[in-house]
């Protein structure tokens, strides 16, 4: 399974944009990039996913490098409720498996 | 849609006892997953079902662990002869097949403490 590398922690001020990086230098052509987040005392929740093109949804944007070896999750205006651990996960659609391999994620702290 | 539910939310047991957890997925979801999460770590995959068939098991799932999904709806995870190292949050998730990148919806977890 391809691995991802994320910073252990980041801080942001409330109402400012946040860019959460993820490196995945061993990504294969059939790996999708998924982002989940885990708020305190809750299970993870889906944020966004993409393959090659940048993606936007109501929660965030996902910017994928042209060589796909890195990606960035963008929260456009951080709120206190965005404080969570953010996980960048690769899932190989060609492998026939549906499991996620989570790393340790990035703990985002949002300052009021 | 009530989401994925798990019961109990907390379980304290003594070493050597057996415990069973239940997961009720979102009703139309035919895939169900179990993960385990220890403090400061991301969730680790344990096993997953498509309908009632258990299609993949992690090497983490020792012979003391067994999971079932008898009718393709709810699932149970049993741990026999619990050890202190089994203390963790056990998370269940579900998803729908038919879409290659169907997101997984996670429940709130069952926190197990083995004394």
């Amino acid at each position: 399974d391809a691995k991802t590398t994320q910073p252990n922690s980041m801080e942001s001020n409330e109402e400012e944009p946040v860019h959460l990086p993820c490196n995945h230098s061993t990504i294969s052509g059939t790996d999708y990039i998924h982002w989940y987040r885990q708020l305190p005392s809750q299970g993870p929740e889906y944020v966004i996913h993409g393959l090659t093109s940048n993606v936007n949804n109501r929660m965030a944007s996902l910017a994928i490098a042209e060589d796909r070896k890195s990606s960035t999750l963008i929260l456009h205006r951080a709120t206190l409720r965005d404080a969570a651990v953010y996980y960048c996960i690769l899932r190989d659609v060609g492998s026939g498996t549906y499991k996620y391999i989570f790393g340790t994620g990035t703990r985002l702290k949002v300052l009021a | 849609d009530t989401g994925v539910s798990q019961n109990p939310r907390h379980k304290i047991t003594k070493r050597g006892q057996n415990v069973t957890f239940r997961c009720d997925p979102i009703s139309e979801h035919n895939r169900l997953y179990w993960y385990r999460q220890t403090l400061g770590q991301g969730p680790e995959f344990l096993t997953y079902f498509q309908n009632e068939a258990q299609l993949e098991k992690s090497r983490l799932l020792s012979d003391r662990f067994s999971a079932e999904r008898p009718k393709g709806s709810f699932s149970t995870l049993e741990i026999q002869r619990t050890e202190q190292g089994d203390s963790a949050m056990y998370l269940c998730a579900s998803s729908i097949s038919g879409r290659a990148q169907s997101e997984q919806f996670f429940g709130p977890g069952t926190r197990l403490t083995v004394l």
Side-chain angles (χ1 to χ4, degrees):
Chain A
D1 296 306
K3 297 269 194 290
T4 63
T5 306
Q6 300 177 253
N8 287 335
S9 63
M10 291 184 66
E11 279 188 4
S12 172
N13 293 319
E14 200 177 8
E15 298 193 5
E16 288 189 358
V18 183
H19 290 231
L20 296 163
C22 181
N23 287 320
H24 27 78
S25 57
T26 58
I27 192 169
S28 75
T30 50
D31 278 322
Y32 274 75
I33 302 159
H34 293 252
W35 283 82
Y36 278 70
R37 72 180 186 181
Q38 188 170 22
L39 279 64
S41 302
Q42 294 187 28
E45 65 173 349
Y46 169 82
V47 178
I48 200 166
H49 76 269
L51 181 63
T52 56
S53 306
N54 294 344
V55 184
N56 299 297
N57 67 19
R58 64 175 179 81
M59 286 181 74
S61 296
L62 176 59
I64 301 172
E66 201 168 324
D67 64 4
R68 302 212 318 128
K69 293 184 185 235
S70 65
S71 60
T72 303
L73 179 71
I74 303 164
L75 306 179
H76 296 286
R77 283 179 70 235
T79 69
L80 296 177
R81 287 180 295 179
D82 291 323
V85 179
Y86 286 78
Y87 296 100
C88 169
I89 305 160
L90 300 182
R91 194 172 77 73
D92 183 0
V93 69
S95 69
T97 182
Y98 296 93
K99 68 185 180 193
Y100 288 138
I101 307 293
F102 287 81
T104 51
T106 297
R107 183 173 297 278
L108 176 66
K109 192 173 181 179
V110 180
L111 305 173
Chain B
D1 181 358
T2 56
V4 177
S5 61
Q6 292 188 246
N7 287 290
R9 293 292 308 278
H10 303 273
K11 178 73 178 177
I12 299 174
T13 191
K14 291 184 180 176
R15 189 161 46 101
Q17 298 294 303
N18 299 343
V19 294
T20 300
F21 310 139
R22 177 177 169 128
C23 171
D24 286 89
I26 294 172
S27 58
E28 67 269 25
H29 286 187
N30 59 345
R31 291 200 184 115
L32 186 147
Y33 313 78
W34 285 99
Y35 292 83
R36 180 175 69 185
Q37 186 173 26
T38 53
L39 207 58
Q41 302 297 313
E44 296 172 291
F45 170 79
L46 293 177
T47 188
Y48 97 90
F49 293 82
Q50 179 150 318
N51 300 313
E52 63 274 12
Q54 189 173 18
L55 295 186
E56 191 170 352
K57 287 169 62 170
S58 164
R59 286 170 295 174
L60 293 173
L61 213 65
S62 76
D63 55 6
R64 295 186 298 106
F65 287 69
S66 62
E68 292 183 343
R69 194 181 183 201
K71 294 183 180 177
S73 56
F74 73 91
S75 175
T76 57
L77 178 69
E78 181 183 16
I79 309 174
Q80 295 183 326
R81 306 181 303 280
T82 52
E83 301 172 357
Q84 287 184 324
D86 296 332
S87 295
M89 177 75 83
Y90 290 83
L91 292 161
C92 175
S94 69
S95 70
I96 196 162
S97 65
R99 299 199 324 248
Q101 296 303 319
S102 174
E103 65 189 90
Q104 292 182 17
F105 291 81
F106 283 80
T110 295
R111 181 168 294 285
L112 173 65
T113 302
V114 182
L115 302 176

